[in-house]
PDB file of all heavy atoms in Angstrom:
ATOM      1  N   THR N  45     109.100  91.495  89.051  1.00 90.00           N
ATOM      2  CA  THR N  45     108.812  91.680  90.496  1.00 90.00           C
ATOM      3  C   THR N  45     108.046  90.494  90.992  1.00 90.00           C
ATOM      4  O   THR N  45     107.339  89.834  90.236  1.00 90.00           O
ATOM      5  CB  THR N  45     108.044  93.033  90.742  1.00 90.00           C
ATOM      6  OG1 THR N  45     107.939  93.104  92.217  1.00 90.00           O
ATOM      7  CG2 THR N  45     106.735  93.021  90.037  1.00 90.00           C
ATOM      8  N   ASP N  46     108.245  90.220  92.275  1.00 85.00           N
ATOM      9  CA  ASP N  46     107.359  89.224  92.868  1.00 85.00           C
ATOM     10  C   ASP N  46     106.240  89.816  93.681  1.00 85.00           C
ATOM     11  O   ASP N  46     105.418  89.162  94.264  1.00 85.00           O
ATOM     12  CB  ASP N  46     108.217  88.304  93.801  1.00 85.00           C
ATOM     13  CG  ASP N  46     108.994  88.997  94.859  1.00 85.00           C
ATOM     14  OD1 ASP N  46     108.862  90.271  94.944  1.00 85.00           O
ATOM     15  OD2 ASP N  46     109.692  88.358  95.616  1.00 85.00           O
ATOM     16  N   ALA N  47     106.149  91.163  93.608  1.00 86.00           N
ATOM     17  CA  ALA N  47     105.018  91.831  94.298  1.00 86.00           C
ATOM     18  C   ALA N  47     103.750  91.534  93.456  1.00 86.00           C
ATOM     19  O   ALA N  47     103.820  91.428  92.255  1.00 86.00           O
ATOM     20  CB  ALA N  47     105.260  93.349  94.266  1.00 86.00           C
ATOM     21  N   ILE N  48     102.641  91.416  94.212  1.00 84.00           N
ATOM     22  CA  ILE N  48     101.377  91.107  93.505  1.00 84.00           C
ATOM     23  C   ILE N  48     100.447  92.290  93.578  1.00 84.00           C
ATOM     24  O   ILE N  48     100.089  92.762  94.643  1.00 84.00           O
ATOM     25  CB  ILE N  48     100.726  89.832  94.132  1.00 84.00           C
ATOM     26  CG1 ILE N  48     101.581  88.633  94.051  1.00 84.00           C
ATOM     27  CG2 ILE N  48      99.396  89.584  93.530  1.00 84.00           C
ATOM     28  CD1 ILE N  48     101.201  87.433  94.799  1.00 84.00           C
ATOM     29  N   TYR N  49     100.089  92.778  92.428  1.00 88.00           N
ATOM     30  CA  TYR N  49      99.077  93.875  92.261  1.00 88.00           C
ATOM     31  C   TYR N  49      97.970  93.339  91.331  1.00 88.00           C
ATOM     32  O   TYR N  49      98.301  92.887  90.246  1.00 88.00           O
ATOM     33  CB  TYR N  49      99.731  95.085  91.669  1.00 88.00           C
ATOM     34  CG  TYR N  49     100.706  95.768  92.579  1.00 88.00           C
ATOM     35  CD1 TYR N  49     102.105  95.526  92.371  1.00 88.00           C
ATOM     36  CD2 TYR N  49     100.306  96.522  93.748  1.00 88.00           C
ATOM     37  CE1 TYR N  49     102.999  96.145  93.184  1.00 88.00           C
ATOM     38  CE2 TYR N  49     101.312  97.133  94.521  1.00 88.00           C
ATOM     39  CZ  TYR N  49     102.658  96.881  94.242  1.00 88.00           C
ATOM     40  OH  TYR N  49     103.559  97.471  95.117  1.00 88.00           O
ATOM     41  N   PRO N  50      96.771  93.260  91.781  1.00 90.00           N
ATOM     42  CA  PRO N  50      95.655  92.764  90.864  1.00 90.00           C
ATOM     43  C   PRO N  50      95.531  93.635  89.637  1.00 90.00           C
ATOM     44  O   PRO N  50      95.813  94.817  89.645  1.00 90.00           O
ATOM     45  CB  PRO N  50      94.399  92.923  91.766  1.00 90.00           C
ATOM     46  CG  PRO N  50      94.857  92.973  93.189  1.00 90.00           C
ATOM     47  CD  PRO N  50      96.263  93.700  93.091  1.00 90.00           C
ATOM     48  N   VAL N  51      95.077  92.960  88.512  1.00 94.00           N
ATOM     49  CA  VAL N  51      94.877  93.749  87.327  1.00 94.00           C
ATOM     50  C   VAL N  51      93.830  94.839  87.636  1.00 94.00           C
ATOM     51  O   VAL N  51      92.870  94.579  88.307  1.00 94.00           O
ATOM     52  CB  VAL N  51      94.300  92.725  86.226  1.00 94.00           C
ATOM     53  CG1 VAL N  51      93.824  93.481  84.989  1.00 94.00           C
ATOM     54  CG2 VAL N  51      95.394  91.691  85.835  1.00 94.00           C
ATOM     55  N   GLY N  52      94.048  95.984  87.120  1.00 94.00           N
ATOM     56  CA  GLY N  52      93.273  97.166  87.274  1.00 94.00           C
ATOM     57  C   GLY N  52      93.802  98.050  88.401  1.00 94.00           C
ATOM     58  O   GLY N  52      93.351  99.206  88.504  1.00 94.00           O
ATOM     59  N   THR N  53      94.749  97.623  89.228  1.00 93.00           N
ATOM     60  CA  THR N  53      95.292  98.400  90.291  1.00 93.00           C
ATOM     61  C   THR N  53      96.031  99.591  89.672  1.00 93.00           C
ATOM     62  O   THR N  53      96.788  99.460  88.702  1.00 93.00           O
ATOM     63  CB  THR N  53      96.251  97.652  91.170  1.00 93.00           C
ATOM     64  OG1 THR N  53      95.551  96.485  91.752  1.00 93.00           O
ATOM     65  CG2 THR N  53      96.875  98.475  92.275  1.00 93.00           C
TER      66      THR N  53
END
Side-chain angles (χ1 to χ4, degrees):
T45 181
D46 56 1
I48 298 172
Y49 295 101
V51 171
T53 301

